[in-house]
Amino acid sequence: MFLTITTTGTTERPATDLGHLLHKHPDKAQAFSTSYGTAHVLYPEARPERCTAALLLEVDAVALVRRGKGRGGAPDAALAQYVNDRPYAASSLLAVALSSVFSSALRGVCHARPELPGQPRPLRIEVPALPARGGAGLVRRLFEPLGWTVTAEPVPLDGEYPEWGDSRYVRLTLEADTLTLTEALRHLYVLLPVLDDAKHYWVAPDEVDKLLRVGEGWLPGHPEQKLITSRYLSRRWSLTRKALERLELVRLAEADDSEVEDIDNAVGAETEDEEKPTPLAVQRREAILTALRASGATRVLDLGCGQGQLVQALLKDVRFTEIVGVDVSVRALTIAARRLKLDRMGERQASRVQLVQGSLAYTDSRLKGYDAAVLSEVVEHLDLPRLPALEYAVFGAARPRTVLVTTPNVEYNVRWESLPAGRVRHGDHRFEWTREEFRTWAGAVAERHRYAVEFMPVGPDDPEVGPPTQMAVFTLNDTRDGRAEKEAKAA
Ligand code: SAH
């Protein structure tokens, strides 16, 4: 099984720098013994204009079986232990060889020329036989988002009998000008075994750390992050969940720093400080806090609290004596708990906050008796037919004095250059309303449940299309409920 890495160069930046980067001299052919055979590194071509390094792994199939880690199969398939694709198909074995032979390059270290690893250079990587479970389409979905131009040609089962169809192997070529060699090796190190989908070794818990280390900078936020993680960890669900949770935290930390990942967060108001507009998510939280303070609420529900940003903001204001975050997603709540450092919180702070798992599509007696409830960017995550159930659970059953609902104003989407026409802002949005549609819904809800409703813009209120976020403030009419409450208090 083998793989070649080719780069081109100029007199100032000769292609033969590849030798420095890989810590392997272009004039020598070298051999390294690994647990599964011998790895050879040689340079078929080494000129300043063009240089190719080849990694060839001679797998000792017999040793592989003796080590008890071959792919094996049923006992009666004993022959398959010896006659299989291991010797030539690029797999997890090649990934392991890559990491042991090119360990410095994988870490991005070059003692002789410390500046080299950080520099992108033209790269072309070829893998003649890549087992690709998921086919050429998956190969593209894995590499293209990372900046590679991908050619993945299916390899016929038998060249002489094309009618037999294609094998599960592809001939892979990757090309890019914008990546560093370290990035390239890290992509291969993770994605070769992902495509092979059959690790030759037992996946231990420390593989999660390894994956996060090697995936740094490209795995968080990769559109196939879930598939990559689960296959890399050989579908060990507990490890996969752990890894995904940590990837999400990384993504969040990055988003917190720049708040540009999310289109909502990227959009700012026309503030005086033109340099750094306030992210819309921050403006939304401010608007909610202002409305809550104005309502006089002290005991507040954050319904669909997600990862706890609003709960965190509420905790900073001592007037809010009881704060309950509710979400249907355990994962979101786990991240919220970490964000709030619930486990390290002092007793007094801890007595003010609770995170509760529950669905807003069902009435829940735990939600009764609060001053206010916030539904921030939540209603659009429910299928329209489920909305009456949420309406009843919140306005009919829980019935707080004040309810704040925010939701995107779809009319504003045309103002976002990065949003293709007709697309919603977030993959999970089941709908996005115009101002008219939101007012109609909110008006009917208020009517049905005896609330008064007012509307407020959040973010720049565009004269034509309105603000990016719309907010409705519902206040319970001081009728039977109000009187009953007062009577109860007086009694
Ligand atoms: N309120 C947060 C999060 C909005 S994302 C914010 O403004 O940033 C929408 C959240 O609603 C998600 O965390 C999702 O898990 C939650 N959600 C969706 N449907 C729900 C339901 N039926 N019950 C409870 N939470 C729900």
Side-chain angles (χ1 to χ4, degrees), residues 97-177:
L98 202 80
S99 75
S100 66
V101 175
F102 300 136
S103 65
S104 308
L106 195 70
R107 278 183 286 121
V109 177
C110 179
H111 294 302
R113 303 273 305 278
E115 79 288 358
L116 276 188
Q119 298 171 351
R121 57 180 317 134
L123 290 170
R124 179 185 168 93
I125 289 170
E126 283 176 85
V127 187
L130 172 74
R133 277 187 61 140
L138 179 63
V139 177
R140 278 193 293 275
R141 294 210 309 280
L142 293 179
F143 286 100
E144 278 173 356
L146 300 171
W148 292 103
T149 303
V150 178
T151 316
E153 300 162 50
V155 175
L157 259 183
D158 190 312
E160 288 190 33
Y161 301 96
E163 64 275 19
W164 288 6
D166 290 331
S167 66
R168 66 184 188 92
Y169 303 96
V170 298
R171 163 184 284 278
L172 173 71
T173 308
L174 300 172
E175 288 166 293
D177 287 335

Side-chain angles (χ1 to χ4, degrees), residues 80-390:
Q81 296 192 339
Y82 295 95
V83 183
N84 56 36
D85 66 359
R86 280 306 183 210
Y88 56 86
S91 62
S92 58
L93 292 174
L94 188 60
V96 170
L98 202 80
S99 75
S100 66
V101 175
F102 300 136
S103 65
S104 308
L106 195 70
R107 278 183 286 121
V109 177
C110 179
H111 294 302
R113 303 273 305 278
E115 79 288 358
L116 276 188
Q119 298 171 351
R121 57 180 317 134
L123 290 170
R124 179 185 168 93
I125 289 170
E126 283 176 85
V127 187
L130 172 74
R133 277 187 61 140
L138 179 63
V139 177
R140 278 193 293 275
R141 294 210 309 280
L142 293 179
F143 286 100
E144 278 173 356
L146 300 171
W148 292 103
T149 303
V150 178
T151 316
E153 300 162 50
V155 175
L157 259 183
D158 190 312
E160 288 190 33
Y161 301 96
E163 64 275 19
W164 288 6
D166 290 331
S167 66
R168 66 184 188 92
Y169 303 96
V170 298
R171 163 184 284 278
L172 173 71
T173 308
L174 300 172
E175 288 166 293
D177 287 335
T178 50
L179 296 169
T180 65
L181 181 68
T182 299
E183 287 170 319
L185 293 175
R186 290 180 175 188
H187 297 164
L188 291 169
Y189 177 74
V190 173
L191 297 179
L192 290 181
V194 162
L195 283 162
D196 183 29
D197 201 17
K199 277 209 172 165
H200 65 281
Y201 56 87
W202 171 246
V203 172
D206 71 348
E207 287 278 304
V208 173
D209 294 317
K210 210 190 287 171
L211 176 64
L212 281 145
R213 233 176 9 247
V214 181
E216 196 188 322
W218 65 271
L219 185 54
H222 188 297
E224 295 291 347
Q225 166 183 309
K226 236 181 182 153
L227 176 141
I228 295 170
T229 306
S230 124
R231 281 200 185 180
Y232 182 87
L233 297 168
S234 297
R235 296 197 165 79
R236 290 192 55 194
W237 294 117
S238 62
L239 295 184
T240 303
R241 204 169 335 109
K242 224 181 266 166
L244 285 173
E245 227 169 79
R246 283 175 52 186
L247 285 169
E248 183 64 17
L249 283 174
V250 171
R251 204 186 60 75
L252 274 176
E254 283 168 1
D256 270 358
D257 285 347
S258 58
E259 300 226 26
V260 292
E261 291 289 315
D262 177 355
I263 184 150
D264 259 20
N265 288 337
V267 170
E270 301 151 22
T271 49
E272 299 85 328
D273 184 4
E274 283 288 313
E275 309 277 283
K276 197 161 180 273
T278 313
L280 183 57
V282 175
Q283 296 186 55
R284 201 156 44 220
R285 282 198 288 280
E286 287 304 319
I288 291 169
L289 285 168
T290 306
L292 282 176
R293 287 175 189 135
S295 77
T298 62
R299 303 175 62 240
V300 178
L301 297 167
D302 182 8
L303 304 177
C305 63
Q307 292 154 356
Q309 291 93 332
L310 178 65
V311 172
Q312 189 173 36
L314 287 165
L315 268 172
K316 289 191 183 134
D317 186 336
V318 290
R319 84 179 74 200
F320 301 114
T321 54
E322 207 178 324
I323 305 152
V324 181
V326 181
D327 206 284
V328 74
S329 155
V330 175
R331 219 160 85 72
L333 291 172
T334 308
I335 295 171
R338 287 206 197 140
R339 176 191 296 276
L340 299 171
K341 304 193 173 70
L342 270 192
D343 53 341
R344 273 169 282 162
M345 205 176 247
E347 217 170 284
R348 190 128 154 230
Q349 258 328 47
S351 71
R352 289 173 62 208
V353 62
Q354 256 186 89
L355 294 178
V356 177
Q357 200 231 343
S359 170
L360 300 168
Y362 300 94
T363 57
D364 187 336
S365 56
R366 294 174 298 179
L367 306 186
K368 281 194 180 162
Y370 285 84
D371 301 328
V374 179
L375 285 156
S376 164
E377 308 296 284
V378 173
V379 292
E380 66 276 10
H381 287 266
L382 273 84
D383 289 320
L384 272 174
R386 299 299 290 156
L387 215 49
L390 172 137

